């Protein structure tokens, strides 16, 4: 039989000691697990704050790009640089805002003038993120999304701004029977009545009405086919 060891003059049951030690270890593990839970919650909270901050930054930059498009491409005179500064970036200096504004205007100008497709845009923005003093990957993502949504409208605006003469806005047509003619043989023959709506950007339309018999229609169709062939040829060569 083994005897109980004497610790500091007292007889101590080793089984009790082992149980106490096990209890202490369990308590340590419990405290450690609680610390892990608290730390995990703090990390999730910080992650949520960062995500919200990034979302706010993206929304603000998207608003700036929309504002630039409004007064640079859509001729909306109600949108001004001062308005954009006060509404979107009230907490930065005028100089900082001016630098950001000019950078975004320059990027949009380059993208719009080249009418970049998605592949060209991706290459361009990637190069800008690697450039010293360029843009962040988050800004590049916002710009890419903006251009995807506004490309067609901005392109149409640029075309309208570059026109000096009347442009064709619309065309309508119908086929009628001719009821009056100097030549009796032409009465009751079918003719095409074509109405062209012409106008300059920002001005009211003018209307031009044309009449075509079958021979003239065939001639116009032939010329249009030649124009289409020429455009296709130039497009394929570039």
């Amino acid at each position: 039989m083994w005897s109980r060891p004497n610790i500091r003059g007292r007889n101590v049951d080793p089984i009790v000691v082992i149980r106490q030690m096990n209890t202490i270890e369990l308590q340590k593990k419990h405290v450690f697990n609680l610390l892990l839970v608290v730390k995990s919650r703090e990390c999730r909270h910080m992650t949520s704050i960062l995500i919200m901050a990034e979302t706010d930054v993206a929304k603000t930059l998207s608003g700036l790009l929309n504002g630039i498009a409004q007064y640079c491409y859509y001729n909306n005179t109600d949108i001004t640089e001062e308005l954009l500064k006060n509404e979107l970036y009230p907490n930065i200096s005028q100089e900082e805002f001016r630098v950001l504004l000019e950078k975004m205007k320059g990027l949009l100008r380059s993208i719009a003038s080249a009418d970049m497709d998605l592949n060209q845009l991706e290459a361009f923005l990637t190069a800008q993120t690697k450039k010293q003093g360029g843009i962040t990957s988050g800004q590049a993502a916002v710009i890419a999304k903006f251009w995807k949504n506004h490309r067609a409208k901005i392109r149409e605006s640029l075309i309208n701004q570059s026109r000096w003469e009347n442009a064709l806005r619309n065309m309508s047509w119908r086929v009628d029977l001719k009821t009056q003619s100097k030549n009796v043989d032409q009465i009751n023959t079918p003719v095409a009545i074509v109405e062209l709506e012409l106008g300059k950007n920002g001005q009211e339309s003018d209307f031009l009405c044309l009449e075509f018999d079958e021979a003239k229609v065939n001639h116009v169709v032939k010329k249009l086919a030649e124009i289409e062939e020429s455009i296709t040829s130039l497009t394929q060569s570039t």
Side-chain angles (χ1 to χ4, degrees), residues 218-234:
N218 290 334
H219 179 72
V220 170
V221 170
K222 180 181 178 182
K223 290 298 181 182
L224 290 175
E226 292 175 1
I227 293 172
E228 181 182 15
E229 183 180 350
S230 179
I231 292 175
T232 302
S233 176
L234 288 173

Side-chain angles (χ1 to χ4, degrees), residues 11 53 195:
N11 291 328
E195 185 178 73

Side-chain angles (χ1 to χ4, degrees), residues 60-70 104 108 139 142-143 146:
T60 303
L61 180 58
S62 179
L64 178 62
L65 295 173
N66 276 282
I68 293 172
Q70 287 294 327
M104 292 302 139
L108 283 184
Q139 289 175 328
V142 174
I143 295 171
F146 169 83

